[in-house]
Amino acid sequence: MADYENILVEKRDDRVGLIRLNRPKAMNALNGALMTELVDALGVLDADPEIGCMVVTGNERAFAAGADIKEMETSTAVDMLYSDRISLWDRVRDIKKPVIAAVAGVALGGGCELAMACDMIIAAENARFGQPEINLGVIPGAGGTQRLTRAVGKALAMEMVLNNRWLSAEEAYRFGLVSRIFSNELHLEETLRIASEIAARAPVALRMAKEAVNAAFELPLAEGLRFERRAFYFLFSTDDQKEGMNAFVNKREAKWQGK
């Protein structure tokens, strides 16, 4: 694993990779260097057979307070086009293994978009979510108008994007943006526990399951059903399917091989 300046990376014994965003003085503002390191670390962990699930987190005050505005302030439209900085958020979405965002404190702007690019969001009680780009004379550009609308619905997304409404952790849970809420003290511990449970499951099936659920948001129903069915049939060509069903029939623990 490379040495990084803006993130901390830990490979845990339970097949979980933990990545901490580490620009505390800037409230983990997502500059180009941090996002490049994050994407690189996720790619390395994604290719590591000893890792089954990743967790991305910040600190107790901020998951990420947004993109680094100082880095963009004087940019032109052509600068933004050629730098293509937004593609770094897309590359988080392209990771094959499950990625969980463990959000404590604020997740605003690009930080909220980063959390939504992950597969699940697990929130601490003090988590806050928002897309305040309208205050800067722009709009969300890394998926905020699209993923947020799919998660919470048009009416609430409109209020958040047009009028800078923030969601508390409880509201985010109620509207479907996050899957769990834990106390601030237990938040990361419980998120890592869930990640460890996921990492212990059949690796090929995990990958196909993630792709199938994502397809539900990106394809018409008929196409999504066909995608799901092909993935289901494909898994019957894996050793893990044979092992899993044999273990179930014989009432024993399955031993996954990832093939």
Side-chain angles (χ1 to χ4, degrees):
M1 186 74 68
D3 291 328
Y4 298 112
E5 295 183 2
N6 299 283
I7 61 174
L8 303 173
V9 183
E10 177 187 348
K11 279 182 58 176
R12 294 164 49 89
D13 293 337
D14 55 1
R15 293 178 48 77
V16 173
L18 174 61
I19 302 176
R20 297 178 187 266
L21 311 182
N22 190 38
R23 296 186 72 210
K25 292 182 180 179
M27 297 285 282
N28 290 333
L30 303 172
N31 62 7
L34 185 154
M35 286 300 299
T36 298
E37 291 180 0
L38 173 61
V39 167
D40 181 80
L42 285 170
V44 171
L45 294 170
D46 202 25
D48 189 338
E50 296 180 356
I51 296 296
C53 184
M54 287 86 92
V55 173
V56 177
T57 193
N59 57 49
E60 63 279 359
R61 294 180 61 219
F63 176 74
D68 194 326
I69 304 305
K70 293 179 181 178
E71 205 174 54
M72 294 187 290
E73 180 185 4
T74 60
S75 296
T76 67
V78 174
D79 292 334
M80 296 299 290
L81 176 67
Y82 282 148
S83 69
D84 197 21
R85 62 192 304 123
I86 302 303
S87 67
L88 293 167
W89 276 257
D90 296 336
R91 288 169 64 186
V92 174
R93 163 66 181 80
D94 291 339
I95 297 298
K96 304 304 182 186
K97 293 173 184 174
V99 182
I100 301 174
V103 176
V106 293
L108 302 176
C112 186
E113 290 168 312
L114 174 58
M116 290 190 293
C118 298
D119 300 304
M120 297 165 52
I121 303 175
I122 297 179
E125 289 176 336
N126 72 338
R128 298 293 183 271
F129 301 86
Q131 298 288 166
E133 288 88 346
I134 199 73
N135 293 341
L136 303 174
V138 294
I139 68 171
T145 64
Q146 303 302 302
R147 291 192 177 98
L148 184 64
T149 304
R150 285 165 169 78
V152 304
K154 176 184 174 182
L156 183 55
M158 280 289 191
E159 187 175 358
M160 293 176 69
V161 172
L162 271 59
N163 202 35
N164 190 26
R165 175 175 171 178
W166 293 16
L167 298 185
S168 67
E170 180 58 41
E171 288 174 316
Y173 176 76
R174 190 187 333 143
F175 291 113
L177 185 61
V178 308
S179 61
R180 300 276 196 104
I181 303 173
F182 292 107
S183 69
N184 298 338
E185 296 76 17
L186 296 177
H187 169 244
L188 184 56
E189 176 185 335
E190 290 294 328
T191 302
L192 290 169
R193 176 186 61 78
I194 293 170
S196 179
E197 292 174 353
I198 292 171
R201 303 193 186 281
V204 182
L206 276 180
R207 175 170 171 169
M208 300 306 294
K210 170 176 171 168
E211 290 185 12
V213 173
N214 281 327
F217 285 87
E218 297 165 0
L219 298 174
L221 177 59
E223 278 188 58
L225 289 170
R226 283 193 291 271
F227 183 97
E228 177 190 76
R229 197 154 304 148
R230 285 193 298 268
F232 177 74
Y233 292 155
F234 167 80
L235 287 167
F236 279 77
S237 70
T238 65
D239 292 344
D240 281 350
Q241 174 268 327
K242 305 297 185 294
E243 167 65 9
M245 292 193 174
N246 183 268
F248 177 83
V249 169
N250 290 286
K251 297 180 173 57
R252 62 175 178 81
E253 185 109 3
K255 296 180 180 179
W256 308 119
Q257 301 298 315
K259 57 184 183 179

